[in-house]
């Protein structure tokens, strides 16, 4: 492990931070402004990528910024773990920037300058989190990340967006305070906060109660951003943000910074040996396992696609935390590999959801029957990514899951392996119907979605003849399904009072399973759903949407496949193995 | 015994301090309780006077002599606290002057010197 | 001249204060220029003093050449140096702001310079009664400045400030009396030795401590002695509220620290734990109560005033913890808060002038109409919340480290909580500024206050304040070094 002093970590952080004022000044020249974003994103990726070969061979690039004395310093370091997150964030920012252009212009969104500037700030601070060399630096960038992402969450400026923003701030600043408390304790116990592979030595000889308190504070603080239950509820609400934000930030940068923080704490502050000694790993693993099962179940009940993806994210993040908490070599590899794997897959899924929103203004799964005709490439990418989420081979999710399950079994903790497998089944349960109905069903003939959405304990809506309630036979009423959607402009589409009086009351599905996230136009009309006569057919050659959106979708899907087929070649597995290999005392 | 209970010797020798407490109490009470602004300022002055009395009382030094007398000099009071009090009196006078100037302005603007009425007007 | 630097620092503004009064025989608008010249000279002297102390250590000066401790001593060490520099810098900033914004009469600038005298005097003095005199000078000038607002409510606010402030100063004086009775001296250094000799459990000493600290707490505006502050800040002209909020409570808090460490010393705090915990308790209650009251405010300036109550609770808690790190942190926060709070008041003044918005509801959507002022306001607010790398975070961090070192866990908890509490009242302003629809129509705004206009100087001041809020973090190591030279003798 050699340390090399270099400006590259600092450059990686600064290149987009310095672009912020440039972007802000280009309000009147949108194309130049977007060009700046793309150039800077490319530059950032180049800088981070240039450090990868060195890191793989054991070099760590450090930039010392500020020595505060007494063992405190502002320092950046690009080691294997940092490069893992950094490479991921910068790579996906390039992809997301293209997508953002398509999305924001497709919807003619307001305040695009603020949007792109905040994005640049967010990614700069995310890289700062990745390259923080000690808890204090990481904390600084962690807080700045919250501040830079807030304008993106409240972008819509509706009441709902503002409420979501407030909740986001409260939860993440609360988490920040806990991290600060934990950092203080660590500093008090050891005199330093620097990340040392294998753990800070002095911590092993410190008072165990205080050490456990420090771990609890740090895990809780980082766990807020990592959406561990019960601090997870900010994430579904934050889905009110534009989809690129939900994708890059709330599936990749922000939530992964929380998981990354936990990784740093487990591996580089406490170390696997001390974790096992203190006995704090098991509670963490239990919380993670609970989260991954509970949120998968909740996901089944979501009708809004983005909210379902949000709960899926919560679940998948706990895979990573579980892997870290198992302290086992293979489990660690699996957990860490899941960081990029999940990122690629989830980004694909979110981008698909966004493309569907832009092209057809559809947000709810129950409106998406037969949408495969309208958006074939998008749904194909969706299918690939969904398969990876469930752990189907050839897609990235399979590789990480494989390591995780092996690691759980090797460590003798079969219950966690069981939890992972059950979760896989649940993943299929909430993703497969979306894909199936897209290609193999039509707006006229489809099952009620979500499958487990209706009233618990019996309901008249789930009847063998195809269901009553809102999916009444359109043929019977003589016109197409448009009755259900365009016919009642001011109504929530599940206000089944308009349906034939016979089943009015009983079949009025309880709104509980409908999660509408208020978009601006929500109040006037429910836009979603197929137009008259069903979805129109589009070709498989890209006629369904702009290439600004399709390109990134297909890129992300391809990356997921690449990571699944050749994980070592796609560099990430090698980085992960370097991380775990560099930890003293852990079987690689 | 009754003398002890009433702390008579304390009263007879240290009556200054009781006077100080009395003045402080009266001053503070007037300051807080009286609704009239001018009376509040009077209360403030009485409060400060109590403090002055305190300082002057502690100037007396038992068994002290003026510097020029070698033996048998009478009761001696250190001039330092007296000087401090002169300063404090000046400060008190200027404070009273500023306060009264403000009161004149308040009266001309609001037409009342009653604290309760002012509060209603103020928060309009 | 170098020998007489400390006393010159005090004399210069006094002389400067008389000149506008003389000049008013000829013109009524000369005040600003005279004040500027005086303050530039004051800043130069302060700079020289900084160099003196930096290279030569503590500077001591006997006024009138009378031997210490019989005469009045002026002492400048690292702690007072920071505050002196702060006074100079902030006054210059306020002058830049007041050129367009503030009252323009000669008497205003006279009072301003008098206030600077009082503040500088409080900072450099080494004598407890001298401190009282300068405290009263500061107070009188402040009451006058608050009353210089045009509305009648300014007079009422000034009177309330006067009465409560006088009670506080008088309590301090009473405390000085008890201390004099116990030790026979007024010089701070001499008194600390004699107090130790008398014994810290003596009733005289304890009463002196309680009265002196209580009196100064009124001036620092700790809860529940803060009631004069919101009215005073809200009803005075913008330049005045920026000035007073940045400096008066700050220097009073400095005086409290000087009292704690140079007169009573840390030994007193350790041998009378009740005193330390009482101080800590008052400070913690201030932190929580100040924030709670701030959240419920509608008027932005009153909210900022209650925010000061909370922030000074933080500073006093740092002083009460009394470890070198905590005291360094409290000093850093003192300086940082002065810059940030002054900037916030200045920015809110600009926003009110440009858009007519002065309530939380009125701030909605103003981010678009006053981009510079709103941006500066947001950055300063984030600094107050304690988002790194602003200086608000650095001070808090050091106080926290000190509290953890001293194992005062309740203090640690309250301090950590304070970030969230501060966030509670600042976040909604930030949100309103940028993410809400404006509630004040543009024409209405112009009709109300837009006519007075905003000068480049005013905008420059708030921008500089916002920049300093972050840039001062870079100066922290230097400040720490300075304090490390000074504090150990103070904090054993």
């Amino acid at each position: 492990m050699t340390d090399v002093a270099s400006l590259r970590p600092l450059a990686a952080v600064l290149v987009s931070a310095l672009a912020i004022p440039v972007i802000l000044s280009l309000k009147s020249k949108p194309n130049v402004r977007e060009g700046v974003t793309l150039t800077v994103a490319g530059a950032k990726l180049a800088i981070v990528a240039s450090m990868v070969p060195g890191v793989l061979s054991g070099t760590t690039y450090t930039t010392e910024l500020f020595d505060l004395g007494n063992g405190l310093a502002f320092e950046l370091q690009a080691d294997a773990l940092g490069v893992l997150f950094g490479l991921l964030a910068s790579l996906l920012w390039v992809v997301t920037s293209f997508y953002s252009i398509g999305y924001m212009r497709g919807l003619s969104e307001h305040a695009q300058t603020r949007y792109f500037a905040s994005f640049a700030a967010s990614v700069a601070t995310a890289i700062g989190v990745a390259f923080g060399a000690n808890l204090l630096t990481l904390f600084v960038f962690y807080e700045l990340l919250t501040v830079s992402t807030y304008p993106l969450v409240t972008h819509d400026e509706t009441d709902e967006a503002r409420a979501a923003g407030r909740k986001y701030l409260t939860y993440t600043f609360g988490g920040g305070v806990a991290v600060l408390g934990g950092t203080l304790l660590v500093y008090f116990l050891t005199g330093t906060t620097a990340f040392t592979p294998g753990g800070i030595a002095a911590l092993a000889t410190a008072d165990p109660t205080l050490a456990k308190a420090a771990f609890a504070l740090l895990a809780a603080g980082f766990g807020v951003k990592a959406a561990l239950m019960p601090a997870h509820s900010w994430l579904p609400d934050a889905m009110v943000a534009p989809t690129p934000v939900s994708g890059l930030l709330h599936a990749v940068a922000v939530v992964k910074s929380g998981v990354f923080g936990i990784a740093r704490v487990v591996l580089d502050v406490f170390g696997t040996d001390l974790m096992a000694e203190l006995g704090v790993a098991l509670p963490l693993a239990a919380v993670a396992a609970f989260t991954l099962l509970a949120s998968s179940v909740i996901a089944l009940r979501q009708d809004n696609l983005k909210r379902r993806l949000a709960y899926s994210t919560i679940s998948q993040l706990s895979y990573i935390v579980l892997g870290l908490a198992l302290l086992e070599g293979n489990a660690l590899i699996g957990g860490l590999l899941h960081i990029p794997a999940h990122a690629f897959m989830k980004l694909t899924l979110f981008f698909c959801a966004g493309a569907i929103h832009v092209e057809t203004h559809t947000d709810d799964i129950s409106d998406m029957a037969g949408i495969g005709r309208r958006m074939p490439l998008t749904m194909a990418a969706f299918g690939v990514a969904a398969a990876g989420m469930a752990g189907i081979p050839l897609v990235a999710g399979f590789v990480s899951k494989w390591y995780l399950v092996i690691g759980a079994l090797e460590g003798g903790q079969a219950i966690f392996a069981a939890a992972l497998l059950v979760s896989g089944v649940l993943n299929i349960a909430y993703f497969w119907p979306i894909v199936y109905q897209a290609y193999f069903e039509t707006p006229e003939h489809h099952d009620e979605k979500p499958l487990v959405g209706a009233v618990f304990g019996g309901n008249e809506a789930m009847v063998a003849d195809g269901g009553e309630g809102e999916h009444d036979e359109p043929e019977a009423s003589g016109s197409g399904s448009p009755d259900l959607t365009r016919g009642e402009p001011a109504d929530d589409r599940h206000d089944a009072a308009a349906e034939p009086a016979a089943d009015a009351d009983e079949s009025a599905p309880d709104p509980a399973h409908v999660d509408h996230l208020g978009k601006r136009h929500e109040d006037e009309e429910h836009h979603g759903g197929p137009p008259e006569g069903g979805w129109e057919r589009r070709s498989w050659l890209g006629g369904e949407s702009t290439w600004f959106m399709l390109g990134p979708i297909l890129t992300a899907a391809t990356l997921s496949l690449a990571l699944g087929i050749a994980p070592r070649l796609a560099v990430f597995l090698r980085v992960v193995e370097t991380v775990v290999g560099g930890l003293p005392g852990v079987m690689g | 015994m009754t003398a002890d209970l009433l702390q008579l010797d304390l009263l007879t020798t240290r009556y200054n301090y009781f006077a100080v407490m009395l003045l402080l109490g009266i001053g503070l009470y007037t300051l807080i309780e009286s609704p009239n602004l001018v009376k509040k300022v009077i209360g403030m002055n009485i409060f400060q006077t109590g403090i002055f009395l305190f300082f002057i009382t502690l100037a007396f030094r038992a068994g002290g002599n003026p510097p020029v007398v070698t033996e048998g000099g009478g009761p001696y009071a250190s001039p330092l606290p007296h000087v401090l009090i002169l300063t404090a009196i000046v400060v008190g006078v200027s404070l009273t002057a500023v306060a009264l100037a403000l009161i004149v302005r308040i009266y001309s603007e609001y037409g009342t010197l009653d604290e309760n009425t002012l509060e209603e007007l103020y928060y309009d | 001249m170098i020998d007489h630097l400390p006393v010159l620092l005090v004399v210069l503004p006094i002389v400067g204060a008389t000149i506008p009064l003389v000049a008013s025989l000829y013109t009524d608008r000369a005040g600003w220029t005279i004040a500027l010249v005086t303050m530039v000279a004051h800043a130069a002297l302060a700079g020289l003093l900084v160099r003196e102390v930096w290279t030569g250590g503590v500077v001591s000066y006997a006024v009138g050449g009378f031997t210490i401790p019989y005469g009045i001593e002026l002492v400048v060490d690292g702690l007072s140096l920071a505050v002196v520099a702060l006074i100079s810098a902030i006054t210059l900033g306020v002058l830049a702001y007041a050129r367009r914004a503030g009252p323009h009469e000669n008497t205003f600038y006279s009072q301003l310079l008098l206030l600077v005298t009082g503040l500088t005097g409080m900072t450099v003095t080494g004598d407890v009664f001298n401190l009282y005199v300068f405290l009263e000078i500061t107070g009188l000038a402040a009451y006058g400045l608050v009353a210089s607002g045009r509305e009648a409510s300014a007079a009422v606010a000034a009177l309330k400030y006067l009465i409560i402030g006088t009670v506080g100063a008088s309590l301090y004086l009473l405390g000085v009396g008890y201390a004099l009775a116990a030790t026979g001296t007024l010089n701070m250094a001499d008194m600390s030795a004699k107090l130790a000799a008398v014994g810290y459990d003596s009733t005289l000493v304890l009463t002196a401590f309680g009265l002196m600290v209580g009196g100064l707490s009124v001036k620092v505006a700790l809860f529940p002695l803060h009631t004069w502050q919101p009215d005073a800040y809200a009803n005075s002209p913008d330049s005045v509220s920026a000035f007073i909020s940045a400096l008066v409570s700050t220097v009073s808090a400095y005086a409290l620290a000087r009292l704690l460490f140079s007169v009573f010393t840390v030994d007193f705090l350790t041998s009378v734990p009740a005193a330390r915990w009482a101080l800590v308790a008052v400070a913690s209650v201030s932190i929580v109560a100040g924030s709670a009251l701030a959240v419920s405010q509608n008027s932005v300036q009153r909210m900022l005033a209650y925010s000061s109550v909370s922030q000074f609770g933080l500073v006093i808690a740092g002083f009460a913890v009394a470890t070198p790190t905590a005291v360094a942190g409290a000093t850093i926060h003192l300086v940082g808060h002065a810059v940030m709070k002054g900037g916030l008041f200045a920015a809110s003044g600009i926003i009110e002038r440009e858009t007519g918005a002065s309530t939380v509801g009125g701030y909605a959507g103003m981010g678009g109409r006053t981009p510079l002022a709103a941006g500066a306001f947001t950055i300063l607010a984030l600094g107050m919340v304690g988002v790194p790398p602003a200086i608000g975070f650095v001070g808090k961090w050091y106080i926290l480290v000190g509290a953890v070192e001293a194992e005062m866990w309740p203090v640690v908890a309250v301090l950590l909580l304070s970030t969230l509490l501060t966030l509670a009242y600042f976040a909604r302003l930030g949100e309103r500024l940028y993410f809400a629809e404006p509630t004040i129509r543009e024409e209405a705004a112009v009709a109300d206050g837009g006519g007075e206009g905003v000068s480049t100087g005013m905008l420059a001041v708030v921008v500089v304040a916002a920049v300093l809020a972050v840039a001062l973090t870079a100066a922290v190591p230097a400040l720490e070094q300075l304090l490390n030279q000074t504090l150990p003798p103070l904090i054993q």
Side-chain angles (χ1 to χ4, degrees):
Chain A
M1 266 291 218
T2 43
D3 276 359
V4 170
S6 157
L7 276 180
R8 275 185 272 181
L10 182 62
V13 175
L14 281 183
V15 74
S16 63
L18 293 172
I20 298 170
V22 178
I23 294 177
L24 283 172
S25 65
L26 286 172
K27 192 166 177 154
S28 51
K29 302 198 190 86
N31 289 329
V32 182
R33 175 189 70 203
E34 261 73 294
V36 170
T37 304
L38 291 172
T39 319
V40 165
K44 195 188 274 282
L45 177 60
I47 298 175
V48 177
S50 75
M51 291 193 279
V52 172
V55 163
L56 282 177
S57 60
T59 326
T60 305
Y61 298 89
T62 54
T63 317
E64 188 171 308
L65 294 173
F66 223 44
D67 195 350
L68 296 165
N70 297 328
L72 293 170
F74 267 147
E75 217 181 303
L76 294 175
Q77 87 181 11
D79 62 350
L81 187 53
V83 156
L84 178 66
F85 185 33
L87 184 62
L88 181 69
S90 43
L91 174 62
L92 290 179
W93 187 28
V94 178
V95 177
T96 310
S97 299
F98 281 105
Y99 184 82
S100 288
I101 297 174
Y103 184 88
M104 300 299 270
R105 293 189 183 194
L107 287 176
S108 307
E109 282 273 355
H110 66 292
Q112 289 193 30
T113 315
R114 178 180 75 197
Y115 172 89
F116 282 106
S118 305
F119 235 111
S122 308
V123 183
T125 48
I127 302 284
V129 168
F131 289 158
N134 53 48
L135 273 172
L136 184 61
T137 317
L138 198 147
F139 170 74
V140 171
F141 282 109
Y142 197 71
E143 295 284 81
L144 288 173
L145 181 61
T146 302
V147 172
S148 356
T149 48
Y150 172 76
L152 292 169
V153 174
T154 12
H155 176 89
D156 268 1
E157 296 183 22
T158 58
D159 286 334
E160 191 133 10
R162 280 201 292 272
R166 259 174 265 143
K167 193 171 191 178
Y168 179 65
L169 268 188
T170 317
Y171 271 79
T172 47
F173 261 104
V177 165
V179 170
L180 182 60
T183 309
L184 272 172
L185 268 181
V186 168
Y187 177 67
F188 169 64
L189 290 172
T190 65
T192 174
T193 59
F195 293 134
T196 328
I200 301 178
L203 209 50
T205 50
D207 177 9
T209 327
L210 284 179
K212 279 190 233 193
F215 180 80
L217 281 170
L218 286 169
F222 285 122
V224 170
K225 275 208 176 128
L228 285 176
M229 286 185 170
H232 67 289
S233 67
W234 63 269
L235 188 53
D237 287 348
M239 291 296 121
V240 74
T243 307
V245 175
S246 307
L248 187 68
L249 296 181
H250 297 123
V252 176
V254 171
V255 294
K256 294 291 161 47
S257 74
V259 187
F260 179 79
I262 296 183
R264 280 287 193 203
V265 169
V266 169
L267 298 176
D268 293 337
V269 175
F270 281 81
T272 46
D273 290 334
L274 183 58
M275 294 270 302
E277 227 179 274
L278 288 176
V280 287
L282 193 57
L284 185 63
V287 170
F290 174 75
T291 306
L292 63 91
L293 287 173
S295 50
S296 297
V297 172
I298 300 179
L300 285 170
R301 293 173 60 85
Q302 300 302 313
D303 192 33
N304 182 287
L305 182 56
K306 279 179 73 175
R307 274 185 93 98
R308 185 176 283 202
L309 292 178
Y311 280 102
S312 165
T313 304
I314 298 174
S315 172
Q316 298 285 322
L317 288 171
S318 291
Y319 278 43
I320 305 172
V321 177
L322 181 61
L324 290 169
L326 288 175
L327 300 178
E328 183 66 38
N330 280 317
L332 287 172
I333 294 182
L336 289 173
L337 187 62
H338 205 56
I339 295 180
H342 168 257
F344 292 139
M345 298 186 294
K346 197 39 78 52
L347 199 63
T348 314
L349 293 171
F350 268 110
F351 283 175
C352 294
I356 293 174
H357 178 78
V358 171
E359 292 296 326
T360 65
H361 292 288
T362 312
D363 298 320
D364 293 337
I365 297 170
S366 41
D367 290 334
M368 286 180 192
I371 203 168
R373 283 169 62 132
R374 171 70 176 76
M375 311 197 67
L377 280 177
T378 309
M379 293 314 292
F382 193 98
V384 167
M389 287 294 216
I392 310 285
L394 287 190
V395 193
F398 171 72
V399 185
S400 46
K401 208 147 178 198
W402 172 262
Y403 278 106
L404 275 172
V405 174
I406 299 278
L409 290 173
E410 271 180 2
Q413 289 156 315
I415 186 169
F416 293 118
L420 286 165
L421 293 171
V422 169
S423 171
V425 172
L426 288 170
N427 265 290
I428 298 180
Y430 59 74
F431 277 129
W432 171 242
I434 307 176
V435 182
Y436 177 79
Q437 76 165 2
Y439 286 110
F440 300 111
E441 290 185 358
T442 64
E444 296 83 31
H445 299 284
H446 66 285
D447 294 330
E448 176 173 334
K449 300 285 178 310
L451 282 177
V452 285
V455 182
F456 278 139
N459 57 83
E460 287 75 11
M462 296 277 279
V463 175
D465 65 351
E468 302 181 286
E470 71 276 14
H471 302 302
D472 220 3
E473 317 310 312
E475 287 85 328
S477 55
S479 49
S481 44
D483 266 355
L484 307 165
T485 53
R486 296 298 164 78
E488 296 105 5
D491 288 350
D492 202 310
R493 74 183 307 274
H494 291 276
D495 179 7
E499 297 306 311
D503 24 284
D505 293 306
E506 296 89 329
S507 56
D510 62 316
H513 73 256
V514 174
D515 286 289
H516 285 284
L517 284 179
K519 290 268 179 190
R520 264 219 178 111
H521 23 272
E522 189 65 37
D523 300 330
E524 299 99 52
E525 245 181 274
H526 183 89
H527 275 213
E532 309 208 9
W535 299 107
E536 47 184 75
R537 161 152 278 164
R538 295 285 176 96
S539 84
W540 282 75
L541 294 174
E544 66 203 59
S545 174
T546 143
W547 278 106
F548 270 117
M549 286 199 283
L550 276 181
I553 291 177
L554 295 175
T555 314
T558 314
L559 284 169
S560 317
L561 279 172
L563 193 51
I565 298 173
R568 281 207 178 76
L569 190 57
V571 107
F572 280 101
L573 183 55
R574 271 190 289 165
V575 176
V576 171
E577 284 173 340
T578 316
V579 175
V580 179
L583 297 172
V586 174
M587 21 186 279
Chain B
M1 232 203 63
T2 347
D4 280 334
L5 275 175
L6 291 175
Q7 302 282 26
L8 267 178
D9 49 288
L10 199 63
L11 264 175
T12 44
T13 52
R14 307 250 190 254
Y15 49 83
N16 265 10
Y17 294 105
F18 286 99
V20 168
M21 294 298 136
L22 207 59
L23 284 170
L24 287 175
I26 294 175
L28 210 52
Y29 178 73
T30 318
L31 187 57
I32 295 173
E33 190 273 339
S34 167
N36 183 297
L37 291 180
V38 177
K39 286 193 185 160
K40 282 190 193 288
V41 175
I42 295 175
M44 189 175 84
N45 269 288
I46 297 177
F47 183 74
Q48 288 179 320
T49 312
I51 301 181
F52 302 159
L53 184 57
F54 177 73
F55 265 78
I56 296 173
T57 315
L58 64 88
F60 280 89
R61 292 245 173 263
N65 278 338
V68 292
V69 174
T70 42
E71 57 179 65
Y76 168 71
S78 155
L80 179 60
H82 291 248
V83 161
L84 302 183
I85 293 313
L86 282 173
T87 317
I89 291 176
V90 170
V91 171
V93 167
S94 32
L95 281 169
T96 311
V98 174
L100 290 173
L102 287 171
I103 288 177
V104 168
R105 179 167 161 202
I106 292 176
Y107 187 70
S108 72
E109 301 261 13
Y110 284 109
T112 173
L113 282 181
D114 183 274
E115 174 196 40
N116 300 315
T117 325
L118 266 180
E119 211 167 299
E120 290 168 27
L121 289 174
Y122 187 72
Y123 287 109
D124 265 347
Chain C
M1 181 174 86
I2 298 290
D3 300 327
H4 299 284
L5 266 180
V7 80
L8 274 177
L9 266 175
V10 181
V11 167
L12 181 65
I14 297 186
V15 172
T18 56
I19 303 182
L21 294 174
V22 171
S24 55
L25 289 173
Y26 302 102
T27 159
D28 200 40
R29 286 277 171 147
W32 188 83
T33 328
I34 296 170
L36 183 68
V37 169
T38 316
M39 284 319 297
V40 168
H42 191 268
L45 288 176
L48 281 173
L49 191 61
V50 168
R51 209 190 54 182
E52 271 293 300
V53 177
W54 187 266
T55 50
V58 176
V59 166
S60 159
Y61 179 82
V63 175
F66 288 104
T67 359
I68 300 159
Y70 301 111
I72 296 179
E73 185 188 7
L74 300 180
V75 180
V76 185
D77 63 3
L79 191 57
S80 18
L81 194 65
V83 182
V84 168
L86 185 69
I87 295 173
S88 284
I90 296 215
T91 316
L92 283 171
V94 169
L95 279 176
Y97 188 86
R99 180 141 170 72
R100 173 72 77 90
H104 304 287
E105 300 80 32
N106 283 353
T107 45
F108 173 77
Y109 290 102
S110 235
Q111 284 176 320
L112 190 95
L113 288 173
L114 213 51
L115 185 59
V116 173
T117 314
L119 292 170
T120 318
M122 263 176 87
T123 316
V124 302
T125 185
D127 179 291
V128 289
F129 187 77
N130 203 221
L131 185 67
Y132 168 74
V133 173
F134 281 114
L135 185 67
E136 288 288 39
I137 295 179
T138 312
L140 275 166
Y143 310 147
L145 284 173
V146 169
S148 61
R150 266 174 278 177
E151 311 89 34
S153 52
V156 178
L159 188 63
K160 189 173 185 182
Y161 186 11
L162 187 150
I163 292 181
I164 300 181
T166 307
V167 171
S170 306
L171 286 176
Y172 175 80
L173 182 60
L174 201 51
V176 168
Y178 275 96
L180 179 61
T183 60
T185 174
L186 291 171
N187 180 283
M188 285 185 187
D190 200 25
M191 190 181 268
S192 74
K194 295 222 167 94
L195 279 174
V198 170
Y200 290 135
D201 47 353
S202 139
T203 329
L204 276 175
V205 175
L206 291 172
T207 324
F209 178 79
L211 285 169
M212 287 163 104
V213 168
L216 282 173
S217 302
V218 173
K219 290 289 187 169
V220 174
L222 288 178
F223 188 87
L225 304 163
H226 66 288
T227 44
W228 57 268
Q229 204 179 56
D231 286 334
Y233 286 8
N235 289 297
S236 49
D238 298 325
S239 345
V240 171
S241 35
F243 194 36
I244 294 188
S245 67
L247 284 181
V248 172
S249 295
T250 308
V251 177
S252 307
Y254 156 81
L256 192 61
R258 178 61 65 195
L259 212 62
L260 272 178
F261 299 123
S262 294
V263 179
F264 285 95
T265 75
V266 182
D267 289 333
F268 174 81
L269 286 175
T270 33
S271 49
V272 187
R276 185 191 218 178
W277 280 105
L279 209 52
V280 165
V282 169
S284 309
V285 169
S286 235
I287 296 176
V288 176
S291 310
L293 287 167
V295 172
S296 63
Q297 292 307 309
N298 215 4
S299 150
V300 171
Q301 291 205 324
R302 288 182 81 95
M303 189 194 84
L304 289 175
Y306 282 110
S307 162
S308 279
V309 174
S310 177
Q311 296 294 319
F312 274 105
L314 199 59
V315 170
I316 301 298
F319 284 137
V321 168
T323 63
T325 333
V327 173
T331 315
I332 294 173
H333 198 67
L334 203 60
V335 171
H337 171 263
V339 171
M340 292 189 290
K341 196 41 78 59
L344 279 169
F345 269 104
S348 75
I350 294 181
I351 294 178
E352 180 161 7
R353 274 166 182 265
E354 288 202 327
T355 65
S358 63
T359 59
V360 174
Y363 265 46
M366 292 305 154
R369 287 196 208 158
T370 56
L372 264 181
F377 191 96
T378 314
I379 295 180
L380 289 165
L382 285 174
M384 291 283 272
V385 169
V387 174
I391 193 146
F393 169 70
V394 180
K396 245 184 218 177
W397 165 263
Y398 279 114
I399 301 179
L400 276 168
V401 170
V404 169
E405 278 174 9
E407 301 195 8
M408 298 174 92
W409 304 113
V411 179
V412 175
V414 172
L415 287 172
L416 284 174
L417 203 59
S418 72
T419 311
L420 291 176
L421 293 170
T422 318
L423 182 68
Y425 55 82
F426 273 126
R428 49 191 201 138
L429 270 182
E431 179 199 292
R432 290 264 156 69
L433 275 175
Y434 291 106
F435 298 104
E437 294 300 311
T439 49
I440 300 183
R441 292 185 347 264
E442 284 213 60
E443 318 82 54
V446 172
D448 265 347
E452 288 152 3
V454 170
S455 70
T456 338
M458 291 164 76
L459 285 171
V461 167
V462 292
V463 169
V464 167
V467 167
L468 275 179
V470 181
L472 274 177
T473 315
V476 164
L479 183 59
E480 232 198 310
Q481 194 189 358
L482 190 64
L483 289 173
N484 278 338
Q485 287 172 354
T486 334
L487 289 179
L490 289 181
I491 316 190
Q492 101 262 13

